[in-house]
Amino acid sequence: MSDFLKVVDIVKTFGGLRALDSVSLEVEPKKITILIGPNGSGKTTLINVISGFYKPDSGKIIYKGREISGMKPHEVYNIGIARTFQVPALFWKLTVLENMLVAERNNPGERFTKFLIKKLWRDREKEATERAFRILDVIGLSHLWDRLATSLSGGQMKLLEIGRALMSQAETILMDEPVSGVNPTLAHEIFTRLVALKNQLGITFFIVEHRLDIALNYVDNVIAMAYGKVISSGIPEVVMADPKLIEAYLGG
Ligand SMILES: Nc1ncnc2c1ncn2[C@@H]1O[C@H](COP(=O)(O)OP(=O)(O)OP(=O)(O)O)[C@@H](O)[C@H]1O
Ligand SMILES: [Mg+2]
């Protein structure tokens, strides 16, 4: 048991629908945990609640011993929880490198360019650019640094989203279907890079993913949801053998 990332009795309704029906779970630090479950079981909604995009009706989110439920998305981002989206959210008119630079935590935004003339900001930009290239190397995108985000393949867009999360110095990264629509070779590469990031930088991953054939080779823990509730959790071998899971997928 730890207070690293803890979801306690979260309820989220949309009209009459209980998308999250008293969800409680724990994400272990420096591990890869995947959240699985049939379509519409509440996975994306949970990611939206943890990242501050949705306000829960009731319940608590605890991060490192501190309650973060009710925080706004940028506040959650600033305490070190970054996220990626089911459909990649990038700045399409910017290059790969520019997408990385604007993801820097506490980036002064529009003022950034204006202040570039000043030495302080020049130094800052130099540092940020170097860091961006180090991360682009790790995720295998440095050769594409000057390409527009729109010109990337689907898998490369997913990698760039991961790069942006790392640029924000996030310790915890929430990901919604990082390998959906990605070819198997690149999907394995993405998960291999996530394992390396976990081992080398101690990053905690909480990942929604349907592609179990790929993901299960790389994850430490599995949490399964159905109809807005957690139905099973633990190490992959145990959860995958849980009859409740088979029942949920078969719609029993
Ligand atoms: N903004 C919203 N307004 C109304 N209903 C919503 C909203 N977001 C999600 N829902 C509903 O809540 C339920 C859970 O949706 P959610 O997107 O969390 O499922 P999911 O597990 O991510 O599914 P999938 O695997 O298909 O992505 C669904 O019935 C969905 O229609
Ligand atoms: Mg979803």
Side-chain angles (χ1 to χ4, degrees):
M1 291 287 148
S2 78
D3 270 355
F4 183 73
L5 175 56
K6 206 163 155 182
V7 172
V8 188
D9 287 334
I10 289 286
V11 174
K12 176 70 189 169
T13 56
F14 297 109
L17 177 83
R18 278 172 95 80
L20 298 177
D21 192 0
S22 195
V23 170
S24 296
L25 56 84
E26 283 182 38
V27 176
E28 279 187 74
K30 304 181 202 297
K31 299 259 173 169
I32 301 179
T33 301
I34 51 166
L35 180 61
I36 66 171
N39 294 116
S41 53
K43 304 179 300 293
T44 297
T45 304
L46 181 62
I47 299 289
N48 279 324
V49 168
I50 297 173
S51 56
F53 283 78
Y54 289 167
K55 205 171 172 314
D57 299 4
S58 60
K60 280 186 199 170
I61 311 288
I62 311 283
Y63 186 60
K64 295 184 179 175
R66 167 182 176 195
E67 184 169 353
I68 64 162
S69 16
M71 279 189 181
K72 298 198 170 60
H74 71 274
E75 293 170 328
V76 176
Y77 186 76
N78 282 335
I79 60 162
I81 302 179
R83 69 170 291 183
T84 67
F85 291 83
Q86 198 159 356
V87 177
L90 297 168
F91 290 99
W92 303 111
K93 289 182 178 159
L94 298 183
T95 65
V96 166
L97 178 62
E98 287 163 342
N99 265 280
M100 294 289 285
L101 293 175
V102 295
E104 219 205 346
R105 200 194 298 180
N106 304 322
N107 178 313
E110 284 157 28
R111 289 177 297 138
F112 195 54
T113 6
K114 210 152 122 198
F115 282 104
L116 282 181
I117 32 165
K118 296 199 177 139
K119 185 169 180 316
L120 184 70
W121 293 109
R122 262 210 313 271
D123 290 350
R124 189 194 159 119
E125 197 218 15
K126 186 168 172 283
E127 235 172 73
T129 306
E130 285 169 1
R131 211 157 67 75
F133 270 104
R134 280 200 300 273
I135 295 169
L136 288 174
D137 275 341
V138 178
I139 57 173
L141 289 184
S142 50
H143 62 297
L144 301 173
W145 69 276
D146 61 346
R147 291 263 299 269
L148 284 178
T150 38
S151 74
L152 300 179
S153 73
Q156 290 165 340
M157 289 174 187
K158 305 266 184 188
L159 283 167
L160 181 53
E161 276 207 303
I162 298 166
R164 284 171 48 79
L166 293 170
M167 200 62 195
S168 76
Q169 291 182 318
E171 273 182 80
T172 300
I173 303 184
L174 314 175
M175 310 183 87
D176 202 352
E177 304 200 24
V179 302
S180 75
V182 172
N183 75 58
T185 310
L186 187 54
H188 280 290
E189 186 192 323
I190 289 175
F191 268 100
T192 304
R193 291 189 191 278
L194 299 185
V195 172
L197 292 166
K198 176 191 77 167
N199 292 336
Q200 289 165 23
L201 303 177
I203 307 274
T204 302
F205 289 97
F206 187 43
I207 302 176
V208 173
E209 191 50 69
H210 283 291
R211 303 267 302 272
L212 301 185
D213 55 326
I214 289 164
L216 286 175
N217 298 298
Y218 303 93
V219 305
D220 302 296
N221 294 315
V222 180
I223 298 174
M225 285 182 68
Y227 303 108
K229 290 179 192 292
V230 172
I231 55 165
S232 186
S233 64
I235 57 168
E237 294 74 15
V238 171
V239 177
M240 298 319 290
D242 190 330
K244 290 200 282 294
L245 189 70
I246 296 151
E247 202 179 294
Y249 274 96
L250 294 178

